[in-house]
Amino acid sequence: MKYDRFEDVPVWQAGIDMTVKVFSVTAHQSFRYKGDIANQLQRAALSVPNNIAEGFERGTIPELITFLYYARGSVGEVRSICHVIMKMKEFEGHKSKITEIMDIAESIARQLAGWLKNLKETDMRGQRHFTEKDKKLKEQKERADAFVDKLKKEAQERIKNKNRPE
């Protein structure tokens, strides 16, 4: 599926949801006076959707790939910080929320991995390089593919009808 805006990309939306949950849980007073852990977790979480958005807006596949890897690194950082928090008794009352954040982070990591795999296999160079000529060629190819598919279906239908007992 092609997305015209980063706001429509499901993994970006998941990153926003995770970030909101992180800010919600770190607002609790138990996070005060525990060093920079709340701020670090917030910045790592916020970095996930921001890197997805920035890569998307750069307009080239190589730059998108780079920023998706940054997002994966940040989601790994979120999970790592959550592991630390889970081992600290001061945060025992937040375990279910932290587990939920970790689950979302793992889902985001899987989605990013799948997207990266697809991007690495594409021959498109990105929006920045997509000219009117490219657009016309793509439309021609799509029409030709649709025509070939139609011919195949018609041929299969003729074969099926020919082999029917009368």
Side-chain angles (χ1 to χ4, degrees):
M1 177 172 275
K2 180 185 175 295
Y3 298 101
D4 294 322
R5 301 168 355 114
F6 67 81
E7 291 93 344
D8 299 327
V9 179
V11 72
W12 177 84
Q13 294 169 359
I16 292 295
D17 292 343
M18 179 185 69
T19 302
V20 169
K21 288 181 189 318
V22 163
F23 273 84
S24 175
V25 76
T26 56
H28 193 272
Q29 68 183 17
S30 59
F31 279 85
R32 291 197 181 110
Y33 312 112
K34 298 293 181 263
D36 203 24
I37 199 163
N39 182 265
Q40 187 66 26
L41 182 56
Q42 291 167 352
R43 288 185 299 121
L46 190 56
S47 179
V48 174
N50 284 350
N51 277 305
I52 294 168
E54 185 170 354
F56 191 93
E57 292 294 328
R58 290 286 180 127
T60 69
I61 298 299
E63 286 178 297
L64 176 57
I65 288 171
T66 297
F67 280 88
L68 292 181
Y69 273 115
Y70 294 157
R72 269 196 89 192
S74 294
V75 84
E77 187 176 358
V78 167
R79 288 177 24 230
S80 179
I81 295 167
C82 285
H83 281 291
V84 171
I85 291 170
M86 293 291 276
K87 292 184 178 280
M88 298 174 72
K89 69 178 184 175
E90 299 94 314
F91 301 113
E92 283 181 6
H94 302 290
K95 285 194 178 200
S96 66
K97 290 179 182 176
I98 297 299
T99 299
E100 184 179 355
I101 290 168
M102 290 172 73
D103 290 344
I104 295 169
E106 286 182 30
S107 172
I108 290 169
R110 285 191 302 275
Q111 290 176 63
L112 289 171
W115 193 6
L116 283 160
K117 182 178 185 275
N118 286 338
L119 288 171
K120 289 178 186 178
E121 294 172 357
T122 187
D123 56 354
M124 274 193 61
R125 298 178 342 186
Q127 303 167 7
R128 192 185 300 175
H129 302 287
F130 201 65
T131 65
E132 279 302 313
K133 180 182 174 186
D134 293 325
K135 187 176 181 180
K136 287 178 183 175
L137 287 172
K138 182 179 181 234
E139 289 170 355
Q140 276 182 330
K141 184 180 180 331
E142 287 171 353
R143 284 194 307 273
D145 289 346
F147 180 71
V148 169
D149 288 343
K150 180 182 174 189
L151 289 177
K152 285 180 183 176
K153 286 179 185 174
E154 288 174 357
Q156 289 172 346
E157 195 62 35
R158 281 195 301 275
I159 292 169
K160 190 169 118 179
N161 289 335
K162 185 178 178 183
N163 292 333
R164 267 194 199 148
E166 296 197 23

